Each structure stands twice: as structure tokens, then as C-alpha cells.
Amino acid sequence: MRKKLGPIIAVIVSIVIFIILSAFADSTLGSSQHNTFYDETVSYKELKKNHTAAQAAKVSGLTHVDADKRNTAMEKRVYDLIHKGGLSPSQNYLTDKTFGTRTMYYISDSNKNVVVKEYNRLWSQNTSTYILVALVYFIFINSIVLFYYKRKQKLSTDIKNVTENLRRVRKNKDMASIILSPDDELYDLVEQTNEISMDINELRDNARLRERRFKSLVGHLPIGVMLLNSQGEVLMHNQAMSALLDVNISNDIHPFIEDVKTYGLSRMIEHTLRKNKNHHKELELIGNSQKYVEANVIRLVHSREDFDQQILVLLYDLTESRKMDRMQVDFVNNVSHELKTPITSISGFSETLLNGAKDDPEKLDHFLNIINEESTRLTELIQDILSLSKVQKDDDQAEAIDAKNDIEKIIEHLSQRISRHHLNVKTEFAGNSEITINKDKFNLIVGNLVKNAVSYNKENGDIKISFSHDEIENRIQFSVEDSGIGIAESEQDRIFERFYRIDRSRSLETGGTGLGLAIVKETLNTLDGDIRVESHKGLGTKFIVNIPL
């Protein structure tokens, strides 16, 4: 039954499509006619300024109708349209359609002036041509339908037999001989093909998904991973391994010795390949940068029957951990050394005073001044150490402050030192100085930079402090510039290290602890800010700070 209905449905569908196409083409033609009529009415309105309505309509190619008359059928039609509200000065365009024609009306500001034009619809333009096109269309479409219908009948039998063969293949059976049967249908072939297709696609999708997940997992591991076969060839690696070994590892299978340049790690891998034993050791890798890793070389055996073992190499990066250990040791050593100097001075001069020097007024004042200076230096050192500890523990609780007032208070607090060195301090403020930030951290950064500018300046030197607030990007930038001794380019990368001093004698003279810039850098890190330095030896230094709010 379906075979018989197929051609009939195809013919019906072709008729419906032709009708839809005709209607669409007629609609397009109607739009074009409406545009033409509109242009003609525009011309009519212009001509009517200098001619009568009838003359203007005639020149424009339109028909003028007196709406007050009802002598002709057109005049009656216009009269009815106006009095029924279909055509009025507020609704001045109207289109009336019949099967063969499309009549368009336009009324101007006066109800007496109506122009009309009648157009033929698509099938009325040239009836013979339209009928000829329709015949060609139906002959062409029905020929195609007939061709595919016969072809479908011819292929139906073959498809049925192919379906049976596919079923046997799916059950791991040999393919049967194809027996043609003209009464067989397409349904079984589609069903079986779809089932096989779904099974195969599901297997492939699962395999691809597992592969993507595995590669994504290994690729995003923070540890270096390398998989080797029993011949010591690299089967797989991740980006972390390339970064740790400091080499560009090829994705092609190749000997691991091309990538592993550290003798200790190579020896561990070779020993595991020969002796089938796991190894674990902490190593220093050879490369462009010094890196410490915890290396694990593990033998993988998937089953007893799997004699082709694999070797898994895992590298855990310990560089930062070792760096922190060294920093802690260096910090303790530096603190001990820095504390020892003032304490020794205080102890020695106190002992000297107790042994009789206190009876000499001149020596008494001299030694007491030294003890006072060393006590002040010791206090500042302890205060800076506490500031470093506070930076690491402090939260980022922000509050509204006036940056201008805070900067001026910092300058006032250092006024004695500034006066002692006869320094000229100039401030510049741009934008709104009221900001929301952690007040203690902001003052800590500015205070240390200004103190640094005072300590390393020249007598009668200048200090320039500039502050700007970009409210569009919601960030602040300030700079502290001095005319002091400057910083050599070779030392600029180290000035933010703890206890690093450019001029140690100058630091001791001014009471510097070597922690000021380290405090600034670590405080900025907690605020997601950054600092850069512009300096030349002997020409002064400028520190520029950017902080997002």
C-alpha cells in the first residue's frame, strides 16, 4: 500500500509546492507593483501642485476617480470604500484583489481626489506562458518521482539481502548468499543498519571520551609524567614533564635518553628496566634552571600474561619548597646577624660605662648617644620583621581612606629626617584621593618607599611623590622619586630581596634594615599590585606602584 501511495503523495506534494511558489511569486510581484504605484502617486502629488487632479493622474499613468460620482462601476466601488471606512485620508492606500487582478487605490487629503490603477496578477500577466511553465514543471517533477520510484523498487530486493548479511556479520557469522526477492521491504535494512551504526558509534564515542579524559587528566597534572615501554622508548608524556626536564619532548616514539639528561634519573630508569624494581629518590635536574624533584620510577605489569612491561616515571617539583627552606635559613641567619650588631654595641658600651666611663661626662654623652642610636636601629629592625609577619597573616579588609591625608601624615612623621638632610618634598595628586583599600598596607607601602627615598638621597636633594586615581579602570598609581645615589642596572633585580643593601655603609649610617623594599613587594603581592623601578647610578631612583582597587 505504501508503494502505491508514494507516487500519489509525491504528485500532491509537487502540486502544493507549485501553488506555494506561485503564491510567493505573485506576492513578490504585488510588492513590486505596490512600489511602482507608490512612486506614481508621489509623482501625482507633485504634479497636482500645478495641475488639476485629473491632469496630474493622467500624466502619472493613473486613473482619476471623482468620489462624489457613481456613474461607473469604478466610481461606485470608490464611493463604497470611502463611506465604509476602507479608504480615507488617514488610510490613504488600499489594495483590492481578485483572482486575476490587483487594484490599488490612493486618496489624497480631499475625499474627491482618488487615483486608481489596476494590475494583472502573476497568472494573468501572460496566461499561455504561465500554463506552459506549469506543464514543464509537472512533467519534470513527475518524471523525477517516477524515476526514483522505479529505482526504489529495483533496490528494495538487494537491500533486503544486504540487511541479512549485516545481521550475520553482527553475530560473527559468515555472510550468506544474496537471494533476490522483489516483495521485500526497506524497513529491516534500516533497522539493522541503525542498530549496528549505534553500537559502533557508541563504542567509538566511549573510546574517544576515555582517551580525551585520560589525556586531559594527565595533561593537567602538576607533576611530570612519562610512560616508557620495555625498550625504554617514550610512549606518552605531559607538559609538566617537558617543563621540568627543560626540553621539548617529541610526541613520536623515541628513546628516553634523548630527553633525560640528568645522570641520576637515567640510572634509576635503566635499573628499573633491567632489574624490574621501583625506585624513589630526590634529585637535582640538569638544565637551564636549577630544579629539585622527587623522582619515582615504577614498573607497571597489567597482568601475568603481559610480559611487555611498562615503566612510569613521576617527577614532583620540589624547587619552591627547597627555595622556601633556603629563604627561611637565610632569613634566620640575616636576622641573627642584624640583631647581633646593635646588641653587641649596646652591651659593649654599657659595660664600658659601668667600668668607669660614666664618670667622664663627655664619654658618657657619646656612649649614651651610640646606645640610643643602636636601640633605635634595633627597634626599627624588630618593627620591620613584625611588619613582614603581619603582611603574611593580615587579611585584605578594605576601608575608605583619603590617600592625600595619609601621604601627608607619612611625610610629617618623617619631617625630622627630611629636615636633617635639607630635602625638598613635592607632592602631586590627580583624580579623587578618596579610595577604598586596606589602610595599614597602603601606609606600609608608601611609608617604606618615602623612608627609602629619604635614606638614600643626597644632601639638599629632592623627593617627588605623585598620586593618581583612575576611576574608570578602578586602580591607583603612585610614584616616589628621589635625586639620590641611584641603583645600578645589575642590582635592580635584587633590591626587593630581604636584607639586600645597595650600599651597606650608607644603610648603617641611616639606620636602614634592608627589609623596606621586601616589605613593599610582599605587601603589593597581597593586593595584586605591582612595582617597577627606574634608576641610573648617581642620577636618583623612581619607584612606580600600580594597585587595582
Side-chain angles (χ1 to χ4, degrees):
M1 186 66 180
R2 284 183 297 174
K3 291 183 179 181
K4 294 179 180 180
L5 287 176
I8 297 173
I9 293 172
V11 171
I12 294 172
V13 169
S14 68
I15 294 172
V16 171
I17 291 174
F18 181 80
I19 293 172
I20 293 172
L21 290 173
S22 296
F24 176 79
D26 181 65
S27 175
T28 304
L29 177 63
S31 298
S32 175
Q33 291 170 344
H34 183 271
N35 292 336
T36 302
F37 181 71
Y38 177 83
D39 293 336
E40 290 171 342
T41 56
V42 170
S43 176
Y44 161 74
K45 286 187 285 185
E46 290 296 324
L47 289 169
K48 198 173 67 168
K49 294 177 181 179
N50 301 316
H51 301 80
T52 64
Q55 290 174 337
K58 184 176 181 181
V59 174
S60 302
L62 303 173
T63 301
H64 178 265
V65 178
D66 190 342
D68 291 336
K69 297 179 180 181
R70 283 173 282 177
N71 298 327
T72 65
M74 181 62 71
E75 289 173 347
K76 291 178 180 179
R77 176 61 179 157
V78 169
Y79 180 86
D80 291 338
L81 289 173
I82 291 173
H83 286 81
K84 289 181 180 179
L87 188 64
S88 65
S90 60
Q91 185 70 30
N92 52 3
Y93 282 95
L94 180 67
T95 301
D96 187 23
K97 292 184 289 185
T98 64
F99 179 80
T101 61
R102 183 180 286 107
T103 306
M104 298 184 183
Y105 302 88
Y106 170 75
I107 184 171
S108 59
D109 52 349
S110 173
N111 288 343
K112 292 184 178 182
N113 297 321
V114 178
V115 288
V116 182
K117 190 163 185 179
E118 187 174 270
Y119 296 91
N120 289 325
R121 302 191 71 174
L122 177 67
W123 39 86
S124 300
Q125 294 277 339
N126 192 327
T127 307
S128 59
T129 302
Y130 180 81
I131 294 173
L132 180 61
V133 170
L135 288 174
V136 172
Y137 168 83
F138 285 114
I139 291 172
F140 177 76
I141 294 297
N142 291 328
S143 297
I144 294 175
V145 170
L146 184 61
F147 171 78
Y148 279 102
Y149 176 72
K150 288 184 176 180
R151 184 178 178 185
K152 181 181 177 182
Q153 283 186 318
K154 182 178 181 300
L155 291 176
S156 179
T157 302
D158 294 336
I159 292 173
K160 175 66 177 181
N161 292 306
V162 171
T163 302
E164 180 60 26
N165 278 338
L166 290 174
R167 186 185 295 112
R168 297 181 67 84
V169 169
R170 185 167 173 266
K171 293 180 179 179
N172 295 322
K173 295 182 179 180
D174 295 333
M175 295 179 64
S177 300
I178 296 177
I179 303 174
L180 298 176
S181 177
D183 296 328
D184 291 335
E185 297 180 353
L186 185 61
Y187 180 78
D188 290 336
L189 173 63
V190 174
E191 284 293 305
Q192 292 302 318
T193 304
N194 287 341
E195 286 185 21
I196 293 175
S197 178
M198 285 189 292
D199 290 345
I200 294 174
N201 288 338
E202 185 177 357
L203 290 172
R204 289 176 179 172
D205 289 343
N206 289 337
R208 282 194 293 266
L209 182 60
R210 285 195 295 268
E211 183 180 3
R212 283 198 302 270
R213 287 177 175 173
F214 178 73
K215 287 184 177 179
S216 177
L217 173 64
V218 173
H220 287 84
L221 284 175
I223 63 176
V225 179
M226 180 183 284
L227 184 65
L228 312 176
N229 60 18
S230 57
Q231 286 74 44
E233 295 174 323
V234 179
L235 301 178
M236 185 195 69
H237 71 281
N238 66 352
Q239 190 61 37
M241 179 62 78
S242 296
L244 287 171
L245 297 179
D246 204 14
V247 293
N248 186 17
I249 303 177
S250 172
N251 291 323
D252 299 329
I253 297 177
H254 61 281
F256 77 89
I257 200 67
E258 295 181 8
D259 308 316
V260 180
K261 306 301 181 183
T262 303
Y263 173 74
L265 182 57
S266 297
R267 191 167 178 271
M268 290 171 65
I269 296 172
E270 291 285 359
H271 194 268
T272 301
L273 287 170
R274 291 197 306 268
K275 304 294 184 179
N276 295 331
K277 291 184 178 180
N278 299 337
H279 289 278
H280 170 263
K281 190 176 183 181
E282 186 174 319
L283 298 168
E284 180 181 357
L285 296 178
I286 297 174
N288 296 329
S289 58
Q290 190 180 36
K291 293 178 181 176
Y292 295 91
V293 297
E294 179 184 340
N296 287 274
V297 183
I298 306 167
R299 171 178 174 261
L300 301 178
V301 179
H302 304 293
S303 66
R304 293 183 179 180
E305 293 78 18
D306 189 358
F307 297 102
D308 187 17
Q309 67 171 356
Q310 292 179 331
I311 304 298
L312 182 64
V313 183
L314 302 175
L315 299 184
Y316 299 84
D317 191 359
L318 302 177
T319 307
E320 287 300 320
S321 176
R322 295 294 170 264
K323 183 179 179 181
M324 292 301 297
D325 291 343
R326 286 198 306 273
M327 287 179 62
Q328 290 177 356
V329 172
D330 292 343
F331 183 73
V332 171
N333 291 337
N334 284 323
V335 168
S336 301
H337 177 75
E338 295 293 335
L339 290 173
K340 183 178 179 181
T341 302
I343 290 173
T344 301
S345 296
I346 293 170
S347 176
F349 287 112
S350 299
E351 185 178 352
T352 302
L353 289 172
L354 290 173
N355 289 335
K358 66 179 182 296
D359 298 327
D360 186 341
E362 185 177 345
K363 288 184 178 180
L364 176 62
D365 290 342
H366 177 67
F367 289 160
L368 286 176
N369 283 331
I370 294 175
I371 290 172
N372 181 61
E373 289 176 359
E374 293 298 332
S375 299
T376 302
R377 181 181 167 202
L378 184 60
T379 300
E380 288 190 356
L381 177 61
I382 293 172
Q383 186 61 45
D384 283 348
I385 293 172
L386 291 175
S387 295
L388 276 174
S389 176
K390 187 178 180 182
V391 166
Q392 296 170 353
K393 295 179 181 179
D394 219 1
D395 58 13
D396 287 331
Q397 186 174 4
E399 58 183 292
I401 68 169
D402 189 331
K404 183 178 180 180
N405 288 341
D406 282 30
I407 292 173
E408 289 175 348
K409 286 180 182 177
I410 290 170
I411 296 172
E412 183 180 353
H413 179 72
L414 296 171
S415 59
Q416 289 187 352
R417 294 189 187 184
I418 293 171
S419 300
R420 190 186 310 150
H421 296 287
H422 309 288
L423 301 176
N424 178 36
V425 180
K426 182 181 178 182
T427 58
E428 292 181 355
F429 296 91
N432 186 5
S433 63
E434 293 184 358
I435 59 175
T436 301
I437 197 171
N438 186 298
K439 181 181 178 70
D440 293 337
K441 291 185 179 181
F442 177 76
N443 290 335
L444 196 61
I445 294 168
V446 177
N448 276 286
L449 288 177
V450 175
K451 189 188 299 182
N452 194 74
V454 172
S455 299
Y456 291 93
N457 214 323
K458 298 176 181 177
E459 290 292 326
N460 301 310
D462 297 316
I463 297 175
K464 181 179 178 182
I465 303 171
S466 299
F467 175 91
S468 65
H469 181 193
D470 188 339
E471 296 185 74
I472 297 176
E473 293 189 5
N474 198 26
R475 63 188 302 112
I476 60 170
Q477 181 184 89
F478 63 87
S479 62
V480 179
E481 184 177 3
D482 63 63
S483 59
I485 62 175
I487 306 169
E489 189 173 350
S490 59
E491 294 184 289
Q492 290 180 13
D493 291 336
R494 299 195 59 194
I495 58 175
F496 297 104
E497 295 178 9
R498 297 179 179 184
F499 295 106
Y500 184 79
R501 292 186 176 92
I502 301 167
D503 186 342
R504 186 170 183 83
S505 62
R506 182 65 178 269
S507 299
L508 295 175
E509 179 186 339
T510 59
T513 63
L515 291 174
L517 292 179
I519 292 172
V520 170
K521 181 66 174 176
E522 295 188 27
T523 306
L524 280 171
N525 288 340
T526 66
L527 297 174
D528 295 326
D530 63 81
I531 184 170
R532 57 187 175 91
V533 59
E534 297 176 358
S535 181
H536 296 283
K537 192 70 174 177
L539 299 177
T541 303
K542 181 178 182 180
F543 289 98
I544 303 166
V545 175
N546 282 282
I547 303 176
L549 299 179

